[in-house]
Amino acid sequence: MQLQQLAYFLAVVETRQFTKAAEQMRVAQPSLSQQVRALERDVGAQLLHRVRGNVTLTEAGEALLPIARRIVGETENAYRAVRELDDLGRGRVRLGATPSLCTGVLPETLAAFRRSYPGIELFLHESGSRDLQTALSEGTLDLAMIIDSRERRPEPRIAARALFVEELVLISAKDAPPPVPGPRMSVAELAGCPLVMFRRGYDLRDTTVAACRSAGVEPTFAVEGGEMDAVLELVRAGVGVAVVPSTVVDDGFRITRFTAPGLTRTVRLASRRDVEPSRAVRALRDAVTGFLDEASRVRPLITVPVGKRA
């Protein structure tokens, strides 16, 4: 089994076609096909179902996939760490984050990082917390900003440190009637609100539904199935209301906060326990924590560092 064979195998899995995989790897298609067949001979099993116009994984291919990703990813990390020994003028960091964090705190954070380290390449992967932990475990991400969840068991290879506690608020269209008479409401009062709800598997959906049921009510959905941008625009259009992190809210919405103890979520920065981070990864890690510490002082109602809550 050779590293190049695993890289070719991953390219085929990603593109679903040998021709596209060969183009991506900048190699002749017959050569790539030969190397994948050699890999199958080495492992003693067929890895791919070859159907004209589409390629799918066999059971053996499914088993090899996370291992191949981890091997190729860690090899790339090793090469990158050696190249970065001179200085931080170059390097690469693969960062994962949930959609709400990509919309909220990350743009300003990454802009500040780019100003300090313009030579470091940044790759951003947007997904749910569970998928981000899997990607970290497989070695395809260096860092991930994830949402804490009691229901989600942590991956054994993943270490996650708390970054901040974020307040969740109810937003509605500015020209729509307010959901309640005053500036605050109880979680139980969500029972009478038509919610614009995120898709299944979305962290905010799970948090909102769990909070309602803990308060003894069942939420009502005006529409469901959206990502963050779609939810915000649907609320702006007056379709319904939504529970969102305060960091994604702009002046175009009416904000209603929840009565004590309110709704919050803990954001954590996750990384692999068994991989020594490169200098570029350490620089981004420090930049994220430093920026959020500063943001908490400027906007204390939006982000509150763990251990500093009133």
Side-chain angles (χ1 to χ4, degrees):
M1 185 185 301
Q2 299 176 10
L3 180 64
Q4 187 181 55
Q5 294 171 342
L6 293 175
Y8 289 169
F9 166 70
L10 291 177
V12 174
V13 173
E14 179 182 337
T15 62
R16 301 282 182 182
Q17 291 184 8
F18 279 85
T19 302
K20 290 183 179 179
E23 292 174 357
Q24 178 177 299
M25 301 302 294
R26 297 181 180 179
V27 66
Q29 190 266 328
S31 177
L32 181 140
S33 298
Q34 185 179 32
Q35 289 297 317
V36 173
R37 283 195 295 269
L39 175 62
E40 290 178 317
R41 287 196 299 271
D42 288 343
V43 300
Q46 183 180 349
L47 301 173
L48 301 166
H49 292 299
R50 296 159 172 83
V51 180
R52 181 178 295 274
N54 190 38
V55 177
T56 58
L57 287 166
T58 65
E59 186 176 355
E62 292 279 4
L64 178 63
L65 181 59
I67 300 171
R69 283 175 172 163
R70 186 161 59 248
I71 292 172
V72 172
E74 291 181 0
T75 302
E76 290 177 353
N77 289 341
Y79 282 124
R80 189 167 65 253
V82 173
R83 290 195 300 267
E84 292 171 1
L85 287 177
D86 294 336
D87 54 40
L88 273 174
R90 58 185 179 179
R92 183 187 73 169
V93 184
R94 302 163 301 175
L95 173 66
T98 63
S100 58
L101 293 172
C102 289
T103 302
V105 300
L106 261 186
E108 290 182 70
T109 306
L110 295 185
F113 180 79
R114 284 286 297 169
R115 288 192 292 269
S116 298
Y117 304 103
I120 294 179
E121 296 179 278
L122 286 172
F123 293 87
L124 181 62
H125 178 65
E126 184 177 350
S127 191
S129 295
R130 187 183 304 277
D131 291 339
L132 293 175
Q133 289 191 65
T134 300
L136 270 176
S137 183
E138 292 176 347
T140 57
L141 289 178
D142 301 305
L143 294 170
M145 294 177 67
I146 62 175
I147 308 304
D148 196 12
S149 173
R150 293 180 181 178
E151 292 78 19
R152 185 184 305 113
R153 292 184 178 181
E155 294 278 346
R157 290 190 178 91
I158 304 304
R161 56 172 293 189
L163 283 177
F164 60 93
V165 174
E166 187 172 28
E167 183 179 10
L168 303 182
V169 297
L170 187 78
I171 58 170
S172 54
K174 273 200 165 181
D175 57 356
V180 293
R184 290 182 178 267
M185 65 185 294
S186 67
V187 173
E189 288 177 292
L190 286 174
C193 297
L195 290 169
V196 177
M197 183 51 66
F198 300 93
R199 60 170 171 79
R200 292 186 181 276
Y202 212 91
D203 297 301
L204 283 166
R205 179 191 180 108
D206 297 340
T207 298
T208 303
V209 172
C212 287
R213 289 173 178 168
S214 294
V217 298
E218 193 67 26
T220 301
F221 300 157
V223 62
E224 58 179 314
E227 299 282 348
M228 177 57 70
D229 290 342
V231 167
L232 292 176
E233 292 308 311
L234 287 167
V235 172
R236 198 189 307 272
V239 174
V241 300
V243 176
V244 299
S246 51
T247 49
V248 307
V249 184
D250 58 33
D251 294 336
F253 298 96
R254 175 186 286 110
I255 299 175
T256 303
R257 299 175 67 193
F258 291 99
T259 54
L263 285 182
T264 61
R265 66 177 189 173
T266 301
V267 178
R268 297 183 180 272
L269 187 63
S271 59
R272 282 275 295 273
R273 295 181 186 273
D274 56 345
V275 174
E276 182 66 24
S278 68
R279 293 184 69 193
V281 172
R282 293 198 300 270
L284 180 58
R285 180 189 62 195
D286 294 343
V288 168
T289 55
F291 180 87
L292 292 172
D293 283 344
E294 179 62 27
S296 70
R297 288 189 285 271
V298 177
R299 300 177 294 179
L301 295 179
I302 293 178
T303 57
V304 184
V306 173
K308 297 183 182 180
R309 299 184 67 194

